[in-house]
Amino acid sequence: MAVSSPSTFNPETAENFEDMEKQFAVKAVQHMATYWSILEKMRGSQLRLTKIDNDILEHFQKDFPEIDVAETIDEEKMKSKEGKERWRKFMMSYEKKIDDYNFGTMLRSNAKFEYGEKETIFGGRYGAK
C-alpha cells in the first residue's frame, strides 16, 4: 500500500481500505462518547482541546465566514469538490502544529442536538500523512 504525501493526495482516486475504515469507526465512536461525556459536564465554549484553539477558531472564522456554527451544517456543500478543497487547504496549515491534523472526525450536524444517526457527519481526512 503506497501512501501519498498530503500535497499529492487525490481524494477522488483514493482507495478505501475496509479494515482501516472499521478501525476508524471504532476509534471515532470512542472519541464521540468521551467528547459527549465532557460536554455533559462543561460548555463546549469552555473546552480547550489544543493550546491553539483560539487561533484555530479565528482562522476558521476568517476562511469560512459564511458558516454559522449555531445552524445546521450543509453536508453537501462541505463535501462538494470546492468544499473539500477549502477544507483541505485549511487543515494543511496545521500539518506541523497538530498531531493527526488530518484525521477524520465525526461532527454533530447541529450543535443543538446529541450525536445520532441523522445528526452525525463524517468530516475531515482530506490528506494522508
Side-chain angles (χ1 to χ4, degrees):
M1 167 176 82
V3 177
S4 301
S5 71
S7 61
T8 61
F9 181 77
N10 181 348
E12 303 302 324
T13 60
E15 295 181 54
N16 285 326
F17 297 98
E18 190 173 336
D19 288 342
M20 200 180 303
E21 296 282 334
K22 288 178 185 175
Q23 290 171 8
F24 165 75
V26 169
K27 190 171 181 177
V29 170
Q30 291 170 342
H31 282 230
M32 282 188 332
T34 300
Y35 184 62
W36 191 254
S37 174
I38 293 168
L39 287 176
E40 289 178 320
K41 295 172 180 59
M42 72 184 322
R43 296 178 55 103
S45 59
Q46 297 172 327
L47 182 61
R48 296 293 173 256
L49 300 174
T50 74
K51 293 177 183 178
I52 61 171
D53 282 1
N54 291 336
D55 296 335
I56 295 169
L57 177 59
E58 186 177 305
H59 180 198
F60 169 79
Q61 291 170 331
K62 178 179 151 271
D63 283 14
F64 299 94
E66 75 283 1
I67 295 179
D68 180 351
V69 296
E71 297 299 322
T72 300
I73 295 170
D74 183 340
E75 184 175 8
E76 288 183 23
K77 186 174 181 181
M78 182 179 100
K79 293 184 174 183
S80 69
K81 184 176 180 178
E82 178 188 352
K84 286 181 181 181
E85 289 171 8
R86 289 179 71 197
W87 282 105
R88 185 178 304 108
K89 180 181 175 192
F90 176 81
M91 290 186 325
M92 290 304 294
S93 66
Y94 298 99
E95 180 178 15
K96 295 184 182 357
K97 297 177 184 177
I98 299 175
D99 291 340
D100 297 329
Y101 71 98
N102 66 344
F103 191 74
T105 190
M106 303 302 284
L107 304 169
R108 287 181 294 149
S109 59
N110 187 313
K112 296 173 189 158
F113 304 106
E114 293 186 30
Y115 288 106
E117 184 178 336
K118 294 180 181 176
E119 297 81 22
T120 305
I121 299 171
F122 173 68
R125 185 124 193 169
Y126 297 119
K129 195 167 187 178

